[in-house]
Amino acid sequence: MNDQIKRIGVLTSGGDAPGMNAAVRAVVRTAVGQGIECIGIRRGWSGLITGDFVRLDGTSVSRIINRGGTMLYTARCKEFMDHEGREKAIATCKLLGLDSIVAIGGDGTFRGALDLSRQVAEHGARLSVVGIPATIDNDIGCSHYTIGFDSACNTAIECIDKLRDTMQSHERCSVVEVMGRHAGYLALYVGIAVGATAVLIPERPVDFENDVVENIRRARLAGTTHYMVVVAEGAGNVYDFAAQIKEALGIDPRVTVLGHIQRGGTPSARDRETASRMGYAAVKALVQQKGNRIIASVNGHIEDLDMEEALTMTKQFQMERYDILEALTNNSISHF
Ligand code: ATP
């Protein structure tokens, strides 16, 4: 590789996701192996504004690959969204001698990175930025997969399996809200994996009678005495759905909001491995001087895409998965 990149700043920003640490480790170890220095910027973009940093070498990222959360902390920073805030960040970059930044987070984080790079260019200087997609929501348009999604699915599944034991014993209906912000990936994957009676996701208009009431009725007729309804947080109010079930069927569902527990825990094999490949690819793209990039998982391959273009991409939600859920939970006749 070549000698032009000398010092990389690495940060984690937005919501935390299991596997962020593995990505930081991969960036640092790959960079150090190429003779490039690494500075960890703490607390996302706000750390770049305040000059909150730590020098990182190969050993300072030891024993973090198996840890959830992020050793660099993460934050959301309003100030960075303004020109003035980013001027302060640029001053820190100059002070630290950063010629590039690897930003690990969601699309908000990448938009911030691109704005920063453009603003540096207005000063006649250059700052290359590379984004690594890490969010449990899997809602980044350019990448089929985002770091943290698999671990969050596993955590939600483990929780719901436990709930199921008690729901089964008491012959109850459980309505569980899972995270995902405006996306239903987490809910649908989890719903399929736990054998949910019904799943509500924002990508599909809610037909309550057909998708929930009818499914529970069918399950009841088939002899089931407990029902699991999985609701994506972006699909609507979980308590309202529970009230509607009570009104329609005369059963009194128990609501569980899984919440932030889904963000924690040991990263899964998939997240550690993907994060390691993405961190490596981020440094490689910088060394190859490819400009501003987002590292993406495209059909299982790790690619680097032009950041500006990648930020305009949208991901087609795979509605076939919903058909699979229906076919497996309802015993209804499916038409291929
Ligand atoms: P997650 O998907 O986990 O929420 P995210 O990276 O999308 O992750 P955001 O809160 O949207 O999370 O963004 C993180 C930070 O990036 C913001 O707090 C802000 O500092 C910066 N940022 C977001 N959008 C922009 C933007 N359009 N311009 C400049 N900076 C931005």
Side-chain angles (χ1 to χ4, degrees):
M1 298 193 190
N2 80 49
D3 57 0
Q4 298 217 6
I5 292 284
K6 290 191 171 56
R7 196 170 288 165
I8 300 174
V10 56
L11 58 86
T12 51
S13 158
D16 66 327
M20 278 182 158
N21 276 327
V24 171
R25 172 182 178 271
V27 169
V28 174
R29 291 263 167 97
T30 310
V32 168
Q34 297 300 318
I36 301 167
E37 285 183 62
C38 261
I39 307 283
I41 309 295
R42 288 191 290 223
R43 301 177 175 84
W45 296 123
S46 65
L48 203 59
I49 289 175
T50 59
D52 184 0
F53 69 93
V54 57
R55 284 183 195 282
L56 296 174
D57 59 18
T59 47
S60 55
V61 290
S62 292
R63 295 178 296 279
I64 63 166
I65 196 167
N66 56 325
R67 282 173 40 204
T70 160
M71 69 168 283
L72 293 177
Y73 306 96
T74 185
R76 300 187 199 271
C77 175
K78 253 187 156 186
E79 195 182 356
F80 190 76
M81 295 175 88
D82 299 331
H83 193 273
E84 235 173 89
R86 288 193 298 273
E87 278 303 301
K88 292 182 192 164
I90 290 170
T92 307
C93 290
K94 269 193 200 153
L95 197 74
L96 295 176
L98 301 180
D99 43 35
S100 51
I101 286 191
V102 175
I104 304 166
D107 52 3
T109 298
F110 304 156
R111 277 177 222 290
L114 193 58
D115 285 355
L116 181 70
S117 176
R118 283 175 175 155
Q119 206 165 307
V120 169
E122 286 167 17
H123 290 265
R126 190 183 156 150
L127 181 78
S128 299
V129 290
V130 179
I132 295 182
T135 159
I136 66 162
D137 306 332
N138 200 23
D139 62 349
I140 295 178
C142 66
S143 189
H144 290 155
Y145 187 77
T146 62
I147 296 165
F149 178 70
D150 186 56
S151 306
C153 282
N154 289 332
T155 301
I157 288 165
E158 196 186 329
C159 294
I160 293 175
D161 283 347
K162 285 180 177 156
L163 262 178
R164 195 197 186 97
D165 290 342
T166 158
M167 290 294 130
Q168 203 160 2
S169 309
H170 285 275
E171 302 181 285
R172 277 189 182 136
C173 175
S174 195
V175 182
V176 183
E177 182 191 279
V178 302
M179 279 186 160
R181 289 224 293 188
H182 309 295
Y185 295 100
L186 199 56
L188 191 50
Y189 272 67
V190 166
I192 290 173
V194 300
T197 319
V199 177
L200 300 176
I201 51 172
E203 290 81 0
R204 194 174 188 273
V206 175
D207 178 347
F208 201 76
E209 179 58 32
N210 196 48
D211 297 342
V212 181
V213 176
E214 200 46 44
N215 283 11
I216 294 176
R217 275 200 195 113
R218 264 200 219 128
R220 222 186 219 173
L221 281 173
T224 307
T225 55
H226 67 283
Y227 320 102
M228 182 62 68
V229 179
V230 175
V231 180
E233 65 176 322
N237 186 301
V238 72
Y239 293 97
D240 290 347
F241 289 135
Q244 284 181 61
I245 291 173
K246 187 175 181 183
E247 198 180 305
L249 293 156
I251 51 179
D252 195 9
R254 294 293 192 271
V255 172
T256 305
V257 177
L258 293 184
H260 284 81
I261 201 157
Q262 293 160 99
R263 291 237 190 110
T266 303
S268 69
R270 182 173 186 187
D271 284 326
R272 296 183 200 194
E273 198 264 352
T274 306
S276 300
R277 286 198 289 153
M278 286 184 165
Y280 174 84
V283 176
K284 195 171 168 192
L286 282 173
V287 170
Q288 291 175 343
Q289 296 190 63
K290 288 190 171 176
N292 297 334
R293 317 296 288 178
I294 292 180
I295 306 303
S297 168
V298 183
N299 298 321
H301 297 283
I302 301 300
E303 297 181 5
D304 58 88
L305 310 174
D306 175 74
M307 186 177 263
E308 197 173 344
E309 219 177 287
L311 283 172
T312 65
M313 292 180 180
T314 50
K315 188 156 60 179
Q316 191 71 30
F317 193 85
Q318 292 177 320
M319 212 47 91
E320 310 92 84
R321 283 209 162 84
Y322 198 90
D323 300 338
I324 293 167
L325 174 94
E326 294 246 280
L328 301 186
T329 52
N330 290 339
N331 278 333
S332 55
I333 297 165
S334 42
H335 302 280
F336 295 109

